[in-house]
Amino acid sequence: MKSYIEERAVEVAKFMIHTNATVRETAKKFGISKSTVHKDITDRVEKIDPELAKSVRHVLEVNKAERHIRGGMATKEKYLHLMKS
């Protein structure tokens, strides 16, 4: 693996851990695709730093558990906005 990819993977993982960011937020921040973020934090970081991978996996699990709530809130906001118009 090329060194710049390893560096990016570690940087992405640390960003997600420190900010509890979602994969979408992280992809937008780094200007890469969601698929690349996911590949970085699930495969590449595991090979580079297993402890870091464990921490970022926890953030992924929390985000996955909360995504239905965020989706519901987004729908609620959408309809509240439509009713005001």
Side-chain angles (χ1 to χ4, degrees), residues 21-40:
T22 63
V23 171
R24 285 178 187 255
E25 293 168 342
T26 305
K28 193 172 195 178
K29 165 89 167 90
F30 286 88
I32 55 179
S33 71
K34 295 180 305 181
S35 299
T36 302
V37 171
H38 196 268
K39 176 89 172 168
D40 282 353

Side-chain angles (χ1 to χ4, degrees), residues 3 5 12 20 22 33 39 42-43 53-55 58 60 63 70-71:
S3 65
I5 294 174
V12 163
N20 288 323
T22 63
S33 71
K39 176 89 172 168
T42 56
D43 294 345
K54 193 180 209 179
S55 299
H58 176 72
L60 273 180
N63 285 340
R70 283 192 299 271

Side-chain angles (χ1 to χ4, degrees), residues 17 41-42 46 50 52-62:
I17 292 166
I41 60 179
T42 56
E46 183 70 41
L52 185 63
K54 193 180 209 179
S55 299
V56 79
R57 198 172 314 115
H58 176 72
V59 172
L60 273 180
E61 289 169 4
V62 169

